[in-house]
Amino acid sequence: MDLNEQSITPMTEDECWEFLSMQPIGRLGTAVAGEPEIFPLNFAMADRTIYFHTIPGTKVAEVAINEKVAFEVDQWGPEIAYSVVVKGTAEILENDADIAAAESTNLVSYLDDTRDTWVRITPTQVTGRRLQR
Amino acid sequence: MDLNEQSITPMTEDECWEFLSMQPIGRLGTAVAGEPEIFPLNFAMADRTIYFHTIPGTKVAEVAINEKVAFEVDQWGPEIAYSVVVKGTAEILENDADIAAAESTNLVSYLDDTRDTWVRITPTQVTGRRLQR
């Protein structure tokens, strides 16, 4: 293969959100007290906002309290791969309007879900890369 | 589906490493100056150590200098999913014996690789979960 035929190109913000809207699983990255953590999660997206479920008292719930997060989603095909990273702030949803907006995403989880607390990531930056080979 | 038939069970350390040995792509999570970052990466494994490539001067290279990292790999099948997280310290390899050990992994990257600097993650903790539905 000719190395020059390969490319890494930035995705537009629209392309990033379109890609995110089609994916069921992402990874939440956190940095609490200088300790990196990664949690794979089912998520849903609406109005360029990321939603996921958690359980109060768990590690994910702790780090979701107004912490800076990075949320990454990727997919690797035979010829094209995509990777999108959303930077933002996570917060546990407590008011009815926010929870209603979250529930309207119809998030589907891998396991039947007993987690009834919603977390929202409000994005501050979205970047994506398209790899072609 | 009966919710009680579903389960989340911890993986043994042996199961975690066996799973990692079969996977080509993971996500590196870092926390530099309180800022979480996630980088998807091709990786290889040997002697319960994680290896990947980088380019000097890049963001990944910066954070790989003796920083605490979390490295996560997951796979989602129709009935079973796995997620493994390796915590450890990343370092750029500089001596010949370390680089020879890294090269013997025969790491294959998605793109033909011009990245010639090796990074090693020396693990301090490995945990994994098996989700069945």
Side-chain angles (χ1 to χ4, degrees), chain B residues 12-38:
Chain B
T12 66
E13 199 171 316
D14 284 349
E15 287 170 340
C16 289
W17 288 111
E18 183 179 334
F19 173 71
L20 288 170
S21 73
M22 298 183 296
Q23 300 294 322
I25 290 165
R27 289 99 198 162
L28 181 74
T30 64
V32 176
E35 289 280 345
E37 296 271 2
I38 303 183

mmCIF file of all heavy atoms in Angstrom, chain B residues 12-38:
data_model
loop_
_atom_site.group_PDB
_atom_site.id
_atom_site.type_symbol
_atom_site.label_atom_id
_atom_site.label_comp_id
_atom_site.label_asym_id
_atom_site.label_seq_id
_atom_site.Cartn_x
_atom_site.Cartn_y
_atom_site.Cartn_z
ATOM 1 N N THR B 12 -11.145 -12.576 36.300
ATOM 2 C CA THR B 12 -9.874 -12.804 36.989
ATOM 3 C C THR B 12 -8.775 -12.046 36.237
ATOM 4 O O THR B 12 -8.943 -11.648 35.074
ATOM 5 C CB THR B 12 -9.504 -14.291 37.023
ATOM 6 O OG1 THR B 12 -9.244 -14.718 35.678
ATOM 7 C CG2 THR B 12 -10.624 -15.135 37.624
ATOM 8 N N GLU B 13 -7.630 -11.885 36.895
ATOM 9 C CA GLU B 13 -6.532 -11.193 36.234
ATOM 10 C C GLU B 13 -6.091 -11.967 34.986
ATOM 11 O O GLU B 13 -5.828 -11.361 33.933
ATOM 12 C CB GLU B 13 -5.370 -11.019 37.215
ATOM 13 C CG GLU B 13 -4.425 -9.938 36.775
ATOM 14 C CD GLU B 13 -3.384 -9.582 37.839
ATOM 15 O OE1 GLU B 13 -3.743 -9.449 39.020
ATOM 16 O OE2 GLU B 13 -2.209 -9.439 37.451
ATOM 17 N N ASP B 14 -6.071 -13.302 35.073
ATOM 18 C CA ASP B 14 -5.727 -14.105 33.885
ATOM 19 C C ASP B 14 -6.718 -13.861 32.747
ATOM 20 O O ASP B 14 -6.321 -13.730 31.578
ATOM 21 C CB ASP B 14 -5.723 -15.600 34.232
ATOM 22 C CG ASP B 14 -4.480 -16.015 35.018
ATOM 23 O OD1 ASP B 14 -3.538 -15.198 35.115
ATOM 24 O OD2 ASP B 14 -4.466 -17.133 35.532
ATOM 25 N N GLU B 15 -7.984 -13.829 33.069
ATOM 26 C CA GLU B 15 -8.998 -13.577 32.036
ATOM 27 C C GLU B 15 -8.819 -12.196 31.407
ATOM 28 O O GLU B 15 -8.992 -12.028 30.200
ATOM 29 C CB GLU B 15 -10.405 -13.708 32.632
ATOM 30 C CG GLU B 15 -10.813 -15.144 32.938
ATOM 31 C CD GLU B 15 -12.102 -15.229 33.752
ATOM 32 O OE1 GLU B 15 -12.501 -14.233 34.404
ATOM 33 O OE2 GLU B 15 -12.710 -16.319 33.747
ATOM 34 N N CYS B 16 -8.478 -11.215 32.242
ATOM 35 C CA CYS B 16 -8.257 -9.859 31.719
ATOM 36 C C CYS B 16 -7.113 -9.855 30.702
ATOM 37 O O CYS B 16 -7.248 -9.291 29.603
ATOM 38 C CB CYS B 16 -7.919 -8.902 32.858
ATOM 39 S SG CYS B 16 -9.299 -8.512 33.951
ATOM 40 N N TRP B 17 -5.996 -10.481 31.037
ATOM 41 C CA TRP B 17 -4.846 -10.454 30.132
ATOM 42 C C TRP B 17 -5.103 -11.270 28.874
ATOM 43 O O TRP B 17 -4.666 -10.901 27.781
ATOM 44 C CB TRP B 17 -3.580 -10.921 30.847
ATOM 45 C CG TRP B 17 -3.085 -9.899 31.830
ATOM 46 C CD1 TRP B 17 -3.079 -10.001 33.186
ATOM 47 C CD2 TRP B 17 -2.555 -8.601 31.512
ATOM 48 N NE1 TRP B 17 -2.577 -8.838 33.736
ATOM 49 C CE2 TRP B 17 -2.250 -7.973 32.741
ATOM 50 C CE3 TRP B 17 -2.316 -7.911 30.324
ATOM 51 C CZ2 TRP B 17 -1.701 -6.687 32.808
ATOM 52 C CZ3 TRP B 17 -1.786 -6.630 30.393
ATOM 53 C CH2 TRP B 17 -1.479 -6.034 31.617
ATOM 54 N N GLU B 18 -5.834 -12.379 29.030
ATOM 55 C CA GLU B 18 -6.183 -13.170 27.843
ATOM 56 C C GLU B 18 -7.054 -12.339 26.895
ATOM 57 O O GLU B 18 -6.831 -12.321 25.678
ATOM 58 C CB GLU B 18 -6.911 -14.451 28.271
ATOM 59 C CG GLU B 18 -7.233 -15.365 27.097
ATOM 60 C CD GLU B 18 -7.923 -16.642 27.541
ATOM 61 O OE1 GLU B 18 -7.729 -17.072 28.695
ATOM 62 O OE2 GLU B 18 -8.675 -17.197 26.711
ATOM 63 N N PHE B 19 -8.012 -11.627 27.469
ATOM 64 C CA PHE B 19 -8.871 -10.763 26.655
ATOM 65 C C PHE B 19 -8.045 -9.671 25.966
ATOM 66 O O PHE B 19 -8.175 -9.444 24.751
ATOM 67 C CB PHE B 19 -9.964 -10.148 27.536
ATOM 68 C CG PHE B 19 -10.801 -9.113 26.841
ATOM 69 C CD1 PHE B 19 -11.710 -9.480 25.859
ATOM 70 C CD2 PHE B 19 -10.682 -7.762 27.154
ATOM 71 C CE1 PHE B 19 -12.477 -8.524 25.204
ATOM 72 C CE2 PHE B 19 -11.443 -6.806 26.507
ATOM 73 C CZ PHE B 19 -12.334 -7.185 25.530
ATOM 74 N N LEU B 20 -7.160 -9.024 26.720
ATOM 75 C CA LEU B 20 -6.335 -7.953 26.138
ATOM 76 C C LEU B 20 -5.471 -8.479 24.997
ATOM 77 O O LEU B 20 -5.240 -7.777 24.003
ATOM 78 C CB LEU B 20 -5.443 -7.335 27.218
ATOM 79 C CG LEU B 20 -6.165 -6.461 28.251
ATOM 80 C CD1 LEU B 20 -5.231 -6.121 29.403
ATOM 81 C CD2 LEU B 20 -6.713 -5.190 27.612
ATOM 82 N N SER B 21 -5.002 -9.728 25.130
ATOM 83 C CA SER B 21 -4.096 -10.270 24.109
ATOM 84 C C SER B 21 -4.790 -10.477 22.770
ATOM 85 O O SER B 21 -4.133 -10.642 21.742
ATOM 86 C CB SER B 21 -3.497 -11.592 24.594
ATOM 87 O OG SER B 21 -4.475 -12.622 24.545
ATOM 88 N N MET B 22 -6.130 -10.472 22.786
ATOM 89 C CA MET B 22 -6.872 -10.713 21.542
ATOM 90 C C MET B 22 -7.390 -9.449 20.893
ATOM 91 O O MET B 22 -8.044 -9.511 19.854
ATOM 92 C CB MET B 22 -8.064 -11.640 21.822
ATOM 93 C CG MET B 22 -7.661 -13.015 22.324
ATOM 94 S SD MET B 22 -9.116 -14.078 22.535
ATOM 95 C CE MET B 22 -10.000 -13.205 23.830
ATOM 96 N N GLN B 23 -7.161 -8.299 21.501
ATOM 97 C CA GLN B 23 -7.782 -7.071 21.030
ATOM 98 C C GLN B 23 -6.752 -6.150 20.379
ATOM 99 O O GLN B 23 -5.652 -5.989 20.907
ATOM 100 C CB GLN B 23 -8.439 -6.336 22.199
ATOM 101 C CG GLN B 23 -9.514 -7.149 22.892
ATOM 102 C CD GLN B 23 -10.708 -7.418 21.996
ATOM 103 O OE1 GLN B 23 -11.109 -6.557 21.225
ATOM 104 N NE2 GLN B 23 -11.249 -8.620 22.090
ATOM 105 N N PRO B 24 -7.107 -5.484 19.277
ATOM 106 C CA PRO B 24 -6.147 -4.599 18.614
ATOM 107 C C PRO B 24 -6.205 -3.141 19.058
ATOM 108 O O PRO B 24 -5.262 -2.390 18.839
ATOM 109 C CB PRO B 24 -6.552 -4.696 17.140
ATOM 110 C CG PRO B 24 -8.027 -4.913 17.184
ATOM 111 C CD PRO B 24 -8.298 -5.724 18.439
ATOM 112 N N ILE B 25 -7.343 -2.727 19.646
ATOM 113 C CA ILE B 25 -7.552 -1.296 19.897
ATOM 114 C C ILE B 25 -8.013 -1.068 21.331
ATOM 115 O O ILE B 25 -8.901 -1.750 21.825
ATOM 116 C CB ILE B 25 -8.601 -0.716 18.912
ATOM 117 C CG1 ILE B 25 -8.010 -0.684 17.510
ATOM 118 C CG2 ILE B 25 -9.066 0.678 19.337
ATOM 119 C CD1 ILE B 25 -9.026 -0.481 16.433
ATOM 120 N N GLY B 26 -7.383 -0.089 21.978
ATOM 121 C CA GLY B 26 -7.815 0.316 23.306
ATOM 122 C C GLY B 26 -7.853 1.825 23.385
ATOM 123 O O GLY B 26 -7.557 2.524 22.412
ATOM 124 N N ARG B 27 -8.235 2.340 24.547
ATOM 125 C CA ARG B 27 -8.309 3.787 24.741
ATOM 126 C C ARG B 27 -7.470 4.170 25.942
ATOM 127 O O ARG B 27 -7.664 3.637 27.034
ATOM 128 C CB ARG B 27 -9.743 4.252 24.961
ATOM 129 C CG ARG B 27 -10.584 4.160 23.704
ATOM 130 C CD ARG B 27 -11.424 2.911 23.706
ATOM 131 N NE ARG B 27 -11.924 2.565 22.389
ATOM 132 C CZ ARG B 27 -12.383 1.347 22.102
ATOM 133 N NH1 ARG B 27 -12.375 0.387 22.995
ATOM 134 N NH2 ARG B 27 -12.810 1.094 20.894
ATOM 135 N N LEU B 28 -6.551 5.092 25.702
ATOM 136 C CA LEU B 28 -5.669 5.598 26.744
ATOM 137 C C LEU B 28 -6.327 6.797 27.407
ATOM 138 O O LEU B 28 -6.651 7.780 26.726
ATOM 139 C CB LEU B 28 -4.338 6.020 26.113
ATOM 140 C CG LEU B 28 -3.278 6.551 27.062
ATOM 141 C CD1 LEU B 28 -2.678 5.411 27.873
ATOM 142 C CD2 LEU B 28 -2.191 7.289 26.295
ATOM 143 N N GLY B 29 -6.512 6.719 28.711
ATOM 144 C CA GLY B 29 -7.066 7.845 29.462
ATOM 145 C C GLY B 29 -5.996 8.475 30.323
ATOM 146 O O GLY B 29 -5.249 7.774 31.007
ATOM 147 N N THR B 30 -5.916 9.804 30.248
ATOM 148 C CA THR B 30 -4.889 10.498 31.011
ATOM 149 C C THR B 30 -5.525 11.641 31.800
ATOM 150 O O THR B 30 -6.647 12.080 31.496
ATOM 151 C CB THR B 30 -3.805 11.080 30.089
ATOM 152 O OG1 THR B 30 -4.398 12.080 29.249
ATOM 153 C CG2 THR B 30 -3.173 10.005 29.242
ATOM 154 N N ALA B 31 -4.785 12.112 32.793
ATOM 155 C CA ALA B 31 -5.251 13.231 33.624
ATOM 156 C C ALA B 31 -4.050 14.114 33.879
ATOM 157 O O ALA B 31 -3.330 13.926 34.847
ATOM 158 C CB ALA B 31 -5.812 12.710 34.937
ATOM 159 N N VAL B 32 -3.847 15.051 32.985
ATOM 160 C CA VAL B 32 -2.711 15.947 33.124
ATOM 161 C C VAL B 32 -3.248 17.320 33.503
ATOM 162 O O VAL B 32 -4.100 17.871 32.799
ATOM 163 C CB VAL B 32 -1.892 16.011 31.814
ATOM 164 C CG1 VAL B 32 -0.771 17.028 31.936
ATOM 165 C CG2 VAL B 32 -1.329 14.635 31.485
ATOM 166 N N ALA B 33 -2.782 17.834 34.639
ATOM 167 C CA ALA B 33 -3.260 19.118 35.155
ATOM 168 C C ALA B 33 -4.785 19.123 35.311
ATOM 169 O O ALA B 33 -5.460 20.109 35.012
ATOM 170 C CB ALA B 33 -2.790 20.270 34.264
ATOM 171 N N GLY B 34 -5.320 17.998 35.759
ATOM 172 C CA GLY B 34 -6.750 17.898 36.024
ATOM 173 C C GLY B 34 -7.629 17.807 34.798
ATOM 174 O O GLY B 34 -8.852 17.798 34.904
ATOM 175 N N GLU B 35 -7.005 17.705 33.618
ATOM 176 C CA GLU B 35 -7.773 17.649 32.366
ATOM 177 C C GLU B 35 -7.812 16.221 31.839
ATOM 178 O O GLU B 35 -6.760 15.678 31.464
ATOM 179 C CB GLU B 35 -7.118 18.534 31.305
ATOM 180 C CG GLU B 35 -7.246 20.016 31.560
ATOM 181 C CD GLU B 35 -8.616 20.576 31.153
ATOM 182 O OE1 GLU B 35 -9.354 19.882 30.431
ATOM 183 O OE2 GLU B 35 -8.925 21.695 31.573
ATOM 184 N N PRO B 36 -8.978 15.617 31.785
ATOM 185 C CA PRO B 36 -9.040 14.269 31.220
ATOM 186 C C PRO B 36 -8.904 14.289 29.706
ATOM 187 O O PRO B 36 -9.414 15.189 29.034
ATOM 188 C CB PRO B 36 -10.430 13.781 31.634
ATOM 189 C CG PRO B 36 -11.236 15.018 31.809
ATOM 190 C CD PRO B 36 -10.291 16.100 32.246
ATOM 191 N N GLU B 37 -8.212 13.294 29.184
ATOM 192 C CA GLU B 37 -8.085 13.112 27.733
ATOM 193 C C GLU B 37 -8.260 11.623 27.442
ATOM 194 O O GLU B 37 -7.912 10.785 28.272
ATOM 195 C CB GLU B 37 -6.688 13.530 27.247
ATOM 196 C CG GLU B 37 -6.357 14.984 27.421
ATOM 197 C CD GLU B 37 -6.783 15.831 26.226
ATOM 198 O OE1 GLU B 37 -7.380 15.280 25.276
ATOM 199 O OE2 GLU B 37 -6.516 17.038 26.257
ATOM 200 N N ILE B 38 -8.770 11.321 26.251
ATOM 201 C CA ILE B 38 -8.841 9.930 25.802
ATOM 202 C C ILE B 38 -8.279 9.848 24.397
ATOM 203 O O ILE B 38 -8.636 10.659 23.537
ATOM 204 C CB ILE B 38 -10.281 9.384 25.790
ATOM 205 C CG1 ILE B 38 -10.918 9.497 27.182
ATOM 206 C CG2 ILE B 38 -10.290 7.925 25.365
ATOM 207 C CD1 ILE B 38 -12.317 8.902 27.245
#
